[in-house]
């Protein structure tokens, strides 16, 4: 079995990644997904770092107040 995206679902989100073949079936331009997915991972990592920093501040304040 192959693993891949469902072209109709991708089309709803990023229509530029979808094409229609000669047979009328939709396909995904997988080569073009790499940059998009890499950017999404970078954005998630930035959010994780931001949330981690916020959590550290909260933990420090809780320790100062003797809550933990």
């Amino acid at each position: 079995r192959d693993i891949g995206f469902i072209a109709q679902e991708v089309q709803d989100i990023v229509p530029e990644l979808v094409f229609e073949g000669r047979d009328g079936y939709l396909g995904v331009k997988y080569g073009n997904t790499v940059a998009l997915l890499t950017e999404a991972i970078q954005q998630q990592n930035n959010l994780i770092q931001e949330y981690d920093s916020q959590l550290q501040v909260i933990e420090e304040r809780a320790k100062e107040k003797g809550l933990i």
Side-chain angles (χ1 to χ4, degrees):
R1 291 190 147 203
D2 289 333
I3 296 174
F5 296 112
I6 297 171
Q8 291 85 347
E9 291 178 2
V10 173
Q11 191 174 37
D12 289 341
I13 300 167
V14 189
E16 300 87 352
L17 294 179
V18 177
F19 67 93
E20 185 173 342
R22 292 181 186 172
D23 56 6
Y25 286 101
L26 297 179
V28 177
K29 300 174 191 174
Y30 284 97
N32 295 351
T33 64
V34 174
L36 184 67
L37 295 173
T38 301
E39 177 65 24
I41 290 169
Q42 289 173 340
Q43 288 177 4
Q44 284 185 332
N45 283 337
N46 290 340
L47 281 174
I48 289 168
Q49 289 175 353
E50 181 182 330
Y51 294 150
D52 187 48
S53 296
Q54 291 175 5
L55 182 58
Q56 288 178 9
V57 169
I58 292 168
E59 287 177 343
E60 289 173 11
R61 289 181 183 167
K63 285 179 184 177
E64 289 172 1
K65 295 181 180 183
L67 299 174
I68 56 172

